[in-house]
Amino acid sequence: HHFKSIETLLIQCTDVIYSEALDEIIVGGLVQSEDNYQVKVYDGKTFALKGSFEAHKFPILKMVLLPKELLATLSSDKTVKIWRLSGEFKLDFEPLDLCVNPSLMAALIVGKTPKIRCYDLTSGTMLAEISGSSSEGYKCCAYLQDKNVLVAGMVHSHIAEVIDCNNSSVVSTLDGGKKLNPTIGIQAIEPNHVIIGSDNAVTMWDLTTPSKPKNHLPITPPITKINSFIAIPHEDVILFTHNSTTVQFYKLSDGTFTGTMQTKLPKCCSVKNSRSHERVFIAESSEGIVGVFTRKVKASKTACQGCNIF
């Protein structure tokens, strides 16, 4: 018999399982130095540690591999937790963005290549490859589930392509004008709109008919170098950060400036929104701080969204 061992440094290790699809060994047990029960995942060929995560504060009694490479951990803390064994995607190009087709549980990955790859999130296997027309590749992407189209912004360009995922073909091109700088991000607004942002403006596109896109009014804030944006459609507002202490607010519907918020963060660099928790998260680049801002209830129906959202 050929024998090799894996030093997991886990004690009270009660279970080990193996994923055939991912060729991974999964072990659960106590990390005494951290006083928690972790799951560790090892490569089935090299036995190298691929990842670990805290699963429970109390003993793991059993682990079960479920369909679609889901993992269940059963614990004496009276919980059963379900985890996804994501594996990893080996690429031959530098990835720059990823969006998800939730109906297929598939990741669409763009980067410094004309190739756009689609991977199964549960198994890690490649489902499809689309060849786009941009020789330098794609900087960012967004997926519209209702239309089953991918919108991919070209590297070093303000132009984006609309790709029909049914037949992997480019059905239209989104060009907001030569005054726009290269695209920095794309946000999908279901069911049929996308917002394409550059560092000097954003444009909204109606993709009700993907082959015949309609360009809405562009928003061009008089600020220096937008580095992130987030639209909140139900509030009719779009937020901009520009590597300063402030966040700018504009009406999404007509581009009207509505207010500025001082964050006390030296250099705001990224902004995200949580509708369910009524919060906005802003990351700061120089000190690594994340600001969490909770919305206020507006004092009156006539109060402006930008000035009174926080």
Side-chain angles (χ1 to χ4, degrees):
H1 295 282
H2 184 65
F3 174 79
K4 283 189 176 181
S5 63
I6 301 174
E7 296 292 332
T8 69
L9 303 179
L10 296 172
I11 63 174
Q12 298 182 25
C13 180
T14 55
D15 214 354
V16 58
I17 56 177
Y18 175 69
S19 166
E20 294 276 356
L22 300 177
D23 190 19
E24 290 177 344
I25 302 161
I26 302 103
V27 186
L30 172 67
V31 178
Q32 195 167 27
S33 61
E34 299 181 22
D35 196 27
N36 60 40
Y37 290 81
Q38 296 187 6
V39 173
K40 293 190 175 185
V41 182
Y42 294 85
D43 186 281
K45 292 184 176 65
T46 65
F47 296 167
L49 180 66
K50 296 181 71 173
S52 64
F53 53 89
E54 178 183 343
H56 298 271
K57 290 293 186 183
F58 290 84
I60 297 172
L61 305 177
K62 187 175 181 177
M63 299 189 300
V64 179
L65 192 64
L66 305 175
K68 295 189 177 181
E69 304 311 305
L70 296 175
L71 173 71
T73 56
L74 293 71
S75 171
S76 60
D77 64 6
K78 299 181 181 179
T79 65
V80 175
K81 295 185 178 181
I82 310 298
W83 310 86
R84 186 171 303 282
L85 300 174
S86 59
E88 60 182 34
F89 309 135
K90 293 290 187 182
L91 304 172
D92 56 2
F93 61 90
E94 182 181 339
L96 296 176
D97 201 4
L98 178 152
C99 54
V100 175
N101 177 338
S103 60
L104 292 179
M105 284 301 295
L108 295 152
I109 302 174
V110 301
K112 293 183 177 180
T113 174
K115 303 172 185 175
I116 300 170
R117 298 270 179 84
C118 180
Y119 287 88
D120 187 314
L121 282 170
T122 58
S123 67
T125 57
M126 190 171 75
L127 300 176
E129 182 177 281
I130 302 167
S131 293
S133 64
S134 175
S135 60
E136 292 187 89
Y138 298 90
K139 165 76 174 177
C140 46
C141 62
Y143 176 75
L144 282 174
Q145 183 176 9
D146 190 68
K147 299 297 177 182
N148 194 24
V149 297
L150 175 73
V151 181
M154 297 180 180
V155 169
H156 305 311
S157 172
H158 65 279
I159 295 173
E161 292 180 339
V162 181
I163 299 167
D164 187 335
C165 294
N166 293 308
N167 54 28
S168 302
S169 64
V170 177
V171 295
S172 61
T173 299
L174 308 182
D175 185 347
K178 293 182 179 179
K179 291 183 179 180
L180 296 178
N181 290 336
T183 302
I184 60 169
I186 303 176
Q187 179 182 348
I189 300 178
E190 294 286 359
N192 49 29
H193 286 78
V194 293
I195 295 178
I196 300 178
S198 63
D199 69 2
N200 66 334
V202 298
T203 55
M204 188 190 304
W205 296 82
D206 183 343
L207 298 179
T208 301
T209 304
S211 61
K212 297 178 180 179
K214 297 178 181 178
N215 188 358
H216 287 212
L217 181 72
I219 302 174
T220 54
I223 58 177
T224 306
K225 297 290 183 182
I226 298 166
N227 57 13
S228 69
F229 66 93
I230 186 77
I232 309 174
H234 70 284
E235 298 275 1
D236 189 23
V237 67
I238 184 167
L239 286 64
F240 297 98
T241 66
H242 53 108
N243 210 34
S244 75
T245 61
T246 63
V247 178
Q248 306 280 343
F249 297 82
Y250 288 77
K251 285 188 72 172
L252 186 60
S253 55
D254 62 13
T256 304
F257 174 71
T258 58
T260 299
M261 180 178 71
Q262 287 288 341
T263 66
K264 299 181 180 179
L265 302 174
K267 293 183 178 180
C268 299
C269 65
S270 178
V271 58
K272 296 291 186 294
N273 174 60
S274 169
R275 180 173 181 176
S276 60
H277 293 91
E278 293 297 310
R279 290 177 176 175
V280 167
F281 305 89
I282 299 174
E284 194 280 329
S285 61
S286 65
E287 297 178 5
I289 305 167
V290 175
V292 181
F293 299 88
T294 304
R295 294 193 192 87
K296 297 176 182 176
V297 177
K298 288 187 281 292
S300 71
K301 292 182 179 179
T302 57
C304 90
Q305 287 91 333
C307 299
N308 204 48
I309 192 171
F310 294 102

